[in-house]
Structures are given as structure tokens and as C-alpha cells.
Amino acid sequence: MFCVPSTEIGTIMNITKGGLVLFSANSNSSCMELSRRIAERLGVEMGKVQVYQEPNRETRVQIQESVRGKDVFIIQTVSKDVNTTIMELLIMVYACKTSCAKSIIGVIPYFPYSKQCKMRKRGSIVSKLLASMMCKAGLTHLITMDLHQKEIQGFFNIPVDNLRASPFLLQYIQEEIPDYRNAVIVAKSPASAKRAQSFAERLRLGIAVIHGEAQDAESDMVDGRHSPPTAKYVAAIHPSLEIPMLIPKEKPPITVVGDVGGRIAIIVDDIIDDVDSFLAAAETLKERGAYKIFVMATHGLLSSDAPRLIEESAIDEVVVTNTIPHEIQKLQCPKIKTVDISMILSEAIRRIHNGESMSYLFRNIGLDD
């Protein structure tokens, strides 16, 4: 396992050179808990700033201390109002830029709009747009965690450190799940197989993959548009040229590749938002003989009725990190557990500010992780 030792970090965390300012860009007080934890680990005070909404819903930011010539770290956790969260961040970054900050580093544990990182029909790659906006506002460095697709780093023209939460989730499995040696790591779809393989190899466990028609899939037909338009006969570009048509996909009956009978099933993914696919996977695993089911994810968005659905489901426990605040959801569903990742974010901030190498935080991480 490649977890950062707490004893080593605990002794060096508060050693920082002068000129560091730590801001929280959230106007929502429930989103500031992670910022307070990071500041406590670094041994610094939170910077003085006011972020609030005007009566007309415009966002206003007032920095109340000098940032001239300093390294400014802006921590932004995503609230339910994601668009307001983005504007708070952009306005604060620009305010620091125009106040002559030496560098402006964004600490955004969950990068919003990360699921919209591919072109879908006549849509747009929104995460590319957001990256461009952040760079234009004045961001000089980004610290984030478990991007939905690692290729999102290429949308930025500034350094991006994509930290991993898996050491903390692996540690939770080893310390909090009794008899985890009798577990199997499960990918709820073939798209999650690489992540499941990474967990399984580090824990020396088996792997199972769920595949079949019960899994949700994005369809090119859902909006009723077709490009090119469908027609019974479509004229070829040239009378002698016929373009072959791609055979449409058809999902096979649901299948579990791997043995889960009499085992603990641990489903791993990067984001848990709409829980329908997780609930379907849990039901399938129960039918195949799994006697306990855990769900592990880095980002717990848990939107809409997710807490109620989890509480009523076959899932025994959902473990997520505190990249996104979810205290209300935990009150609604005792099955939701939280793993604190402020330690690795604090160490990343300390190393960047002191000009130290970041490679220590990426030990034993391969290209496929």
C-alpha cells in the first residue's frame, strides 16, 4: 500500500516558510470544514476573506488582508449549487491576481463537470471550458483528487497534481472490514475494471466484473436526433462508394464474471451520485451469494434521494471521502461513512509552498492507477 505515514507527516506538517495564505472560497459554511482541517494540520490561520451573495444573486468576494508577493492557496469544495461554487472560485482567483499574488494555487478536491469531458453529439466538452476559465482567471497551479478521467489534466496549460484517495480507502478496508481477506473487489461495469484491478492487486484479493443489460449506458438515441439523419436509402458520396454502417450495440444478459458466493463484495468507483446502478449491482451480488456488500468511492455527491435509497437497499455500508461535504446525507443514512483526506491535501500544499518534490505523494502509483 502507498499510504502516507501519519507519524512522518505529523512531525513536519507545520513547517512552512512565510508568505503562505490559505483561503476558503465557499460562502456556504457547511463546505468550510475541510478548509479548517487543512489549516489545522498546516498550523496556519485561515485567511480573512468575505464571500457572499448579493440580493440579486451576484457573487461578491472581498479579500481583507494583503496577498502581494505571497503564495495563495484557495480551497474550494463543491456545494449543491455547483455553478455558484465555480463563480466564487473564479472571482476569488481573479481578485488575488489583481492584488499581485505571487502564485495562486487552487485546491479543488472534486473537479466539477468532470463527467462532461467527452464530446456527446452536439454537446460540448464542459470540463475543457472550465479549465480554460480557471487558467484565464489567473490560476497558476491546481491540486485535485481522482479526476473522473486522467486526461482532463491535458485541458490545463498549468501544472496539475491529481492526488489519489485510494491509500485511505485501502487503509479503511484493512482496518474496518473484519475478515476482509474473504472479500472480492467488484467493478459494477467494465468501465470500472481498471480501478477494481488496482484495489484487488494491492489487497491481494480476487476481482469480479458485472456486465449486462441491467447496467445503465449512455445512448446515442436518447434525444431523438441522429447524425447523419436516418433514412431508408442514403446516397453514397460516389456511386461506386458505399460506407458500411456500424452495427448497433446490444447488451448481453446480466453476468457476473468472477465468484462472489459466500464472499464480502466491495464495489469500487470514483464517484457515487445517482445510486441506481450501485443498487442494481448490490441486488445482483446478493443473488449470486455475496453475504455483505460495501461501496467505496472517492467523491460522495449522493444527490436527490440517494441516502434513502441506500438505507433501504442491500448495501451494508457506503464509504466516501470528505472531498465533498455530506453531513446531511449521513444524518439521513447511518450506512454512509467518511474517510478524511485532509492529510494528503495539507502535505501537497506544504510541499508546493516550500518548493519540494511532489513525487513522495505518488509513490507506487502506476500509469493505470
Side-chain angles (χ1 to χ4, degrees), residues 184 186 260-265 282 284-293 316:
V184 59
V186 179
V260 297
R263 313 282 287 278
I264 299 170
T284 301
L285 293 169
K286 277 288 186 183
E287 291 172 3
R288 299 299 195 277
Y291 71 91
K292 216 165 190 180
I293 298 170
D316 293 281

Side-chain angles (χ1 to χ4, degrees), residues 14 109 170 185 217 234 253:
N14 60 356
L170 289 167
I185 305 298
V234 180

